[in-house]
Short mmCIF file of all heavy atoms in Angstrom, two decimals:
data_model
loop_
_atom_site.label_atom_id
_atom_site.label_comp_id
_atom_site.label_asym_id
_atom_site.label_seq_id
_atom_site.Cartn_x
_atom_site.Cartn_y
_atom_site.Cartn_z
N GLY B 426 34.82 -26.40 -92.73
CA GLY B 426 35.55 -25.27 -92.17
C GLY B 426 35.14 -25.02 -90.75
O GLY B 426 36.00 -24.84 -89.85
N ASP B 427 33.84 -25.08 -90.42
CA ASP B 427 33.37 -24.81 -89.06
C ASP B 427 33.85 -25.92 -88.17
O ASP B 427 34.31 -25.67 -87.06
CB ASP B 427 31.82 -24.78 -89.05
CG ASP B 427 31.25 -23.64 -89.81
OD1 ASP B 427 31.99 -22.65 -90.09
OD2 ASP B 427 30.06 -23.75 -90.29
N THR B 428 33.66 -27.16 -88.62
CA THR B 428 34.08 -28.34 -87.76
C THR B 428 35.55 -28.32 -87.48
O THR B 428 36.00 -28.59 -86.37
CB THR B 428 33.67 -29.66 -88.44
OG1 THR B 428 32.33 -29.59 -88.87
CG2 THR B 428 33.83 -30.85 -87.51
N MET B 429 36.38 -28.10 -88.51
CA MET B 429 37.81 -28.15 -88.32
C MET B 429 38.27 -27.03 -87.36
O MET B 429 39.17 -27.23 -86.52
CB MET B 429 38.59 -27.98 -89.72
CG MET B 429 38.37 -29.27 -90.57
SD MET B 429 39.44 -29.21 -92.01
CE MET B 429 38.85 -27.79 -92.90
N ALA B 430 37.62 -25.86 -87.47
CA ALA B 430 38.08 -24.71 -86.56
C ALA B 430 37.79 -25.12 -85.12
O ALA B 430 38.65 -24.83 -84.25
CB ALA B 430 37.27 -23.50 -86.89
N ALA B 431 36.74 -25.83 -84.84
CA ALA B 431 36.47 -26.27 -83.49
C ALA B 431 37.38 -27.43 -83.08
O ALA B 431 37.92 -27.43 -81.96
CB ALA B 431 34.98 -26.75 -83.37
N TRP B 432 37.64 -28.33 -84.01
CA TRP B 432 38.50 -29.46 -83.73
C TRP B 432 39.96 -29.09 -83.38
O TRP B 432 40.55 -29.55 -82.36
CB TRP B 432 38.55 -30.39 -84.97
CG TRP B 432 39.66 -31.38 -85.07
CD1 TRP B 432 40.84 -31.20 -85.64
CD2 TRP B 432 39.66 -32.69 -84.51
NE1 TRP B 432 41.66 -32.32 -85.53
CE2 TRP B 432 40.94 -33.24 -84.87
CE3 TRP B 432 38.78 -33.51 -83.83
CZ2 TRP B 432 41.31 -34.53 -84.52
CZ3 TRP B 432 39.15 -34.80 -83.50
CH2 TRP B 432 40.36 -35.35 -83.85
N VAL B 433 40.53 -28.09 -84.08
CA VAL B 433 41.94 -27.77 -83.85
C VAL B 433 42.18 -27.09 -82.53
O VAL B 433 43.29 -27.10 -82.02
CB VAL B 433 42.59 -26.94 -84.99
CG1 VAL B 433 42.59 -27.68 -86.26
CG2 VAL B 433 41.87 -25.61 -85.15
N LYS B 434 41.10 -26.52 -81.96
CA LYS B 434 41.22 -25.88 -80.63
C LYS B 434 41.70 -26.79 -79.59
O LYS B 434 42.43 -26.51 -78.63
CB LYS B 434 39.84 -25.33 -80.16
CG LYS B 434 39.55 -24.03 -80.85
CD LYS B 434 38.51 -23.26 -79.96
CE LYS B 434 38.36 -21.81 -80.51
NZ LYS B 434 37.50 -21.73 -81.64
N LYS B 435 41.29 -28.15 -79.69
CA LYS B 435 41.64 -29.10 -78.66
C LYS B 435 42.75 -30.05 -79.10
O LYS B 435 42.98 -31.02 -78.43
CB LYS B 435 40.38 -29.84 -78.12
CG LYS B 435 39.52 -30.38 -79.27
CD LYS B 435 38.20 -30.95 -78.63
CE LYS B 435 37.18 -31.40 -79.59
NZ LYS B 435 37.38 -31.98 -80.81
N GLU B 436 43.38 -29.76 -80.23
CA GLU B 436 44.38 -30.72 -80.77
C GLU B 436 45.69 -30.05 -80.95
O GLU B 436 45.80 -28.84 -81.19
CB GLU B 436 43.94 -31.14 -82.19
CG GLU B 436 42.71 -32.09 -82.13
CD GLU B 436 42.91 -33.42 -81.50
OE1 GLU B 436 44.00 -33.98 -81.66
OE2 GLU B 436 42.02 -33.92 -80.79
N GLY B 437 46.75 -30.85 -80.82
CA GLY B 437 48.11 -30.36 -81.15
C GLY B 437 48.61 -30.97 -82.42
O GLY B 437 47.88 -31.84 -83.02
N LEU B 438 49.80 -30.55 -82.90
CA LEU B 438 50.38 -31.19 -84.10
C LEU B 438 50.90 -32.63 -83.67
O LEU B 438 51.31 -32.78 -82.55
CB LEU B 438 51.54 -30.36 -84.62
CG LEU B 438 51.12 -29.06 -85.33
CD1 LEU B 438 52.33 -28.19 -85.55
CD2 LEU B 438 50.50 -29.45 -86.67
N ARG B 439 50.79 -33.56 -84.62
CA ARG B 439 51.15 -34.91 -84.30
C ARG B 439 52.37 -35.30 -85.21
O ARG B 439 52.43 -34.86 -86.38
CB ARG B 439 50.02 -35.83 -84.52
CG ARG B 439 48.80 -35.61 -83.58
CD ARG B 439 47.56 -36.34 -84.03
NE ARG B 439 47.00 -35.91 -85.26
CZ ARG B 439 46.08 -34.90 -85.30
NH1 ARG B 439 45.59 -34.33 -84.19
NH2 ARG B 439 45.59 -34.49 -86.45
N ASP B 440 53.23 -36.16 -84.69
CA ASP B 440 54.33 -36.54 -85.55
C ASP B 440 53.94 -37.73 -86.47
O ASP B 440 53.26 -38.64 -86.11
CB ASP B 440 55.50 -36.96 -84.68
CG ASP B 440 56.22 -35.75 -84.09
OD1 ASP B 440 56.18 -34.75 -84.81
OD2 ASP B 440 56.67 -35.80 -83.00
N PRO B 441 54.47 -37.68 -87.71
CA PRO B 441 54.06 -38.71 -88.68
C PRO B 441 54.89 -39.98 -88.52
O PRO B 441 55.97 -39.96 -87.88
CB PRO B 441 54.44 -38.05 -90.02
CG PRO B 441 55.52 -37.15 -89.68
CD PRO B 441 55.32 -36.64 -88.27
N ASP B 442 54.40 -41.06 -89.04
CA ASP B 442 55.18 -42.28 -89.17
C ASP B 442 56.23 -42.15 -90.29
O ASP B 442 55.80 -42.08 -91.48
CB ASP B 442 54.12 -43.37 -89.50
CG ASP B 442 54.77 -44.75 -89.71
OD1 ASP B 442 56.05 -44.83 -89.60
OD2 ASP B 442 54.07 -45.74 -89.92
#
Side-chain angles (χ1 to χ4, degrees):
D427 297 337
T428 310
M429 289 190 296
W432 162 270
V433 297
K434 280 204 169 78
K435 46 187 177 36
E436 293 292 322
L438 285 166
R439 296 169 291 270
D440 284 329
D442 177 357

